[in-house]
Structure formats: C-alpha cells, structure tokens
Amino acid sequence: MNPQDLLALIRAHWPDIHSALDDEQRELLLARLEALALAPADERAVRRCVQGVRHALLALPPGHLVRRALDGTRRAGPAAAAPDLAATARELLAQLADPGPPPRREGGLAEARQRLLAHPSLSPEQARHRCAGAVTGLIRLDDPVRGPRYPAFQFGGADGGPLPVVRAVNRLLLGDEDPWGAADWWLSGNLWLGGRPAALLGRVSDELLVGAASAMLEAD
C-alpha cells in the first residue's frame, strides 16, 4: 500500500477509526499525521513518518477493516514526493479538524454566544493587570450584562499573564476582527486535537495548537 492510498484509507474510514481508538491512541495517530504533514523533502524522513502513521493504526482491533487492510500489506509502498504527500496529509488533517457546519436552530447564534460567555472570564481591569496594561492579541467578548470580558483560558494559572501561544493562534484566527469565532475555536471540541483546544493548553505542544489552527484556515 503506497502512502497516498494509506491517507485515502484514513479519510474514507475516519468515523470508524475515531470510534475504535481511545483518546490517547487517537491523539498519537493525529500527531503522527501532523509529523507527516510537516515532513522535510527527504524520502527517508517521509518513509519514517509513514511508518509512524501505520504503527499508530495498529492500535485498531484486529477485525477492523482498516487494520485488515494494513495486515494485508507487509510494508509501505514507494514514498510519494515529499511536498505532494505532505500537502495531502495537511488536507486530510484539515478535513478531520472540521466536523462540518453545526445544525441550524432557532436562536442558534444567541445560544452559542451564551455558551461562550458561560466560561470563566476576566474583567478588563483584571485582564490589564495580568497583562501589565497591554491586552493586545487577546479575545474580548462583549457580554450584554457584564460588559467586556476576556476568556480566562488566555492566561496562565491563577495569576499568570497571557500565554504567547494563545496570542499567536488568535492572530491566525483574526481574533481582533472575529472574537466570537476565535473563542468558539478555542472552546469547542476539535476532532484533530481530540478535545477543546483551550483545555489542551500546556498538555499538548504549542506547535500542535498552531498547526490545528493553520490547518483549519487552509481548509477554508
């Protein structure tokens, strides 16, 4: 099975793969796919990354369709040109990260904003204190009752300042122009990351969070 076919297999059967793996196994597979997406233009490096993806898929139950397909091939076929394969891996990750549009419901926008405002947040005074006055690069949501609020996940610990990775991702997500959309990305489930990005701060690498945001933008 060549690498392009392997990625096509993952794309075609992702819902079954997702449900068959536990959180840790799924996170490992996504990390191996990310490594492939960022692989240098070197055939040996690409082959190592492809093998990493294959090994992560071996966590599937023996009777799983994808596992049977892997068991039927002893080794990966010839590696495709690194840029082409990396681009395919990036496209795949973008698709896995995007669960599709939410169902339309009456009052859906208001409900979504209330959900985001229900998360812990700081007042402008508290945010300025944490930032030594410079609140640039942070998401600010306008609460019709409490006024401006800064989601608390953007700050480190109980008294910490703003997290650099949060500011970096906020810039990618145009958080100054679309704060609600940026907050929704941070505070909603992400299929690629296997959880809410805000809850994964400090638990996964900053590079993985930036990569997840970048992949979503590339899919648009």
Side-chain angles (χ1 to χ4, degrees), residues 10-200:
I10 295 171
R11 178 185 289 109
H13 298 283
W14 177 250
D16 291 334
I17 294 172
H18 185 280
S19 61
L21 298 177
D22 62 30
D23 290 345
E24 185 175 347
Q25 293 166 340
R26 196 180 309 119
E27 185 175 332
L28 175 61
L29 173 58
L30 292 170
R32 295 289 172 79
L33 285 169
E34 184 193 19
L36 178 58
L38 300 175
D42 176 82
E43 184 175 338
R44 289 199 300 175
V46 170
R47 190 175 292 278
R48 284 196 299 270
C49 291
V50 171
Q51 286 302 110
V53 172
R54 286 174 57 86
H55 289 159
L57 287 169
L58 292 178
L60 292 167
H64 193 280
L65 184 150
V66 174
R67 175 64 186 273
R68 292 203 307 269
L70 290 174
D71 290 343
T73 57
R74 293 286 183 179
R75 58 190 293 274
D84 292 343
L85 192 60
T88 302
R90 287 194 297 271
E91 291 171 4
L92 172 59
L93 284 169
Q95 291 173 16
L96 302 188
D98 182 7
R104 293 185 177 274
R105 295 185 299 172
E106 197 69 30
L109 179 59
E111 289 179 10
R113 292 189 171 186
Q114 285 301 316
R115 174 178 63 83
L116 297 174
L117 289 169
H119 288 272
S121 61
L122 279 63
S123 69
E125 293 76 16
Q126 292 170 318
R128 282 195 294 270
H129 176 72
R130 296 276 200 99
C131 299
V135 293
T136 56
L138 297 178
I139 296 167
R140 189 191 79 173
L141 304 178
D142 291 324
D143 188 320
V145 176
R146 297 177 295 169
R149 305 298 298 180
Y150 289 81
F153 72 82
Q154 301 178 102
F155 304 88
D159 300 305
L163 298 170
V165 66
V166 170
R167 279 179 157 159
V169 170
N170 287 349
R171 284 194 296 271
L172 286 172
L173 300 176
L174 302 180
D176 55 340
E177 299 177 19
D178 181 18
W180 295 104
D184 185 63
W185 185 87
W186 279 108
L187 295 168
S188 299
N190 185 289
L191 193 58
W192 180 2
L193 295 171
R196 291 187 297 114
L200 297 173

